[in-house]
Amino acid sequence: MTRSELISKLSKINPQLYQQDLEKVVVTIFDEIMSALARGDRVELRGFGTFSVKTREARLARNPRTGESVKVKPKATPAFRMGKELRERLNSK
Amino acid sequence: MSGETITRAHLTEAIHNQVGLSRADSAQLVESVLDEMSKTLETGLSVKISSFASFILRDKSKRVGRNPRTGIEATITPRRVVLFRPSQLLRKKINAKIK
């Protein structure tokens, strides 16, 4: 399912709302999650899952082709952990 | 890292303020979005939200694990998990502060 398919599903459930507003709703939700993570906040959506930021320390890695060592800067990665309800729904069959 | 926790209530408020829908409609839409995403994953299809992330399904076969507390071996049953693949944009935004 893509972003646009999600919007058309919402518009089927909510025929009274403007498609344009539903598009904004979807944009707002994912933008809010993204800016929360950019601030270093967690996003906890019970039943669905939790979004968080994990930090990776600086490390020395090797260029696999040349064997040279390269310094890798510290970085942050977004992470997602499934909620209990979703995990059960995916594994019920 | 500030460490605040954003919940459904924050998303509802953001929709109410930015889109101008009632709080009730906004709350119901947050629920519908999460429910539609869950339903899609439940049917075995992945969810791709461009410029945010993809939620891809992976089937894990059974393997032997260990209870980290007791050290007793246990079989981990086969299961379906969600692989979260953040978009380049999301990765970039999260690293913006570090640079």
Side-chain angles (χ1 to χ4, degrees), chain B:
Chain B
M1 298 280 138
S2 42
E4 227 188 289
T5 301
I6 303 305
T7 61
R8 279 175 172 77
H10 296 84
L11 300 181
T12 299
E13 206 54 27
I15 293 170
H16 173 67
N17 292 332
Q18 287 167 43
V19 190
L21 297 174
S22 70
R23 286 198 171 83
D25 276 351
S26 305
Q28 175 254 311
L29 284 162
V30 170
E31 219 43 64
S32 297
V33 165
L34 298 178
D35 191 48
E36 288 304 327
M37 291 173 74
S38 304
K39 274 201 246 169
T40 302
L41 294 167
E42 209 180 335
T43 57
L45 294 168
S46 35
V47 174
K48 287 181 190 178
I49 307 295
S50 57
S51 74
F52 179 70
S54 298
F55 300 81
I56 301 159
L57 293 166
R58 281 278 178 275
D59 287 313
K60 301 279 183 187
S61 47
K62 87 167 191 215
R63 65 193 166 91
V64 178
R66 216 174 260 283
N67 179 329
R69 196 187 305 243
T70 61
I72 297 169
E73 272 191 13
T75 312
I76 297 171
T77 52
R79 64 193 61 211
R80 182 166 276 186
V81 297
V82 168
L83 176 71
F84 176 71
R85 284 216 66 213
S87 68
Q88 280 307 320
L89 178 70
L90 178 56
R91 286 173 208 261
K92 226 172 93 186
K93 281 206 170 176
I94 283 171
N95 279 289
K97 258 203 313 203
I98 293 182
K99 276 168 213 156

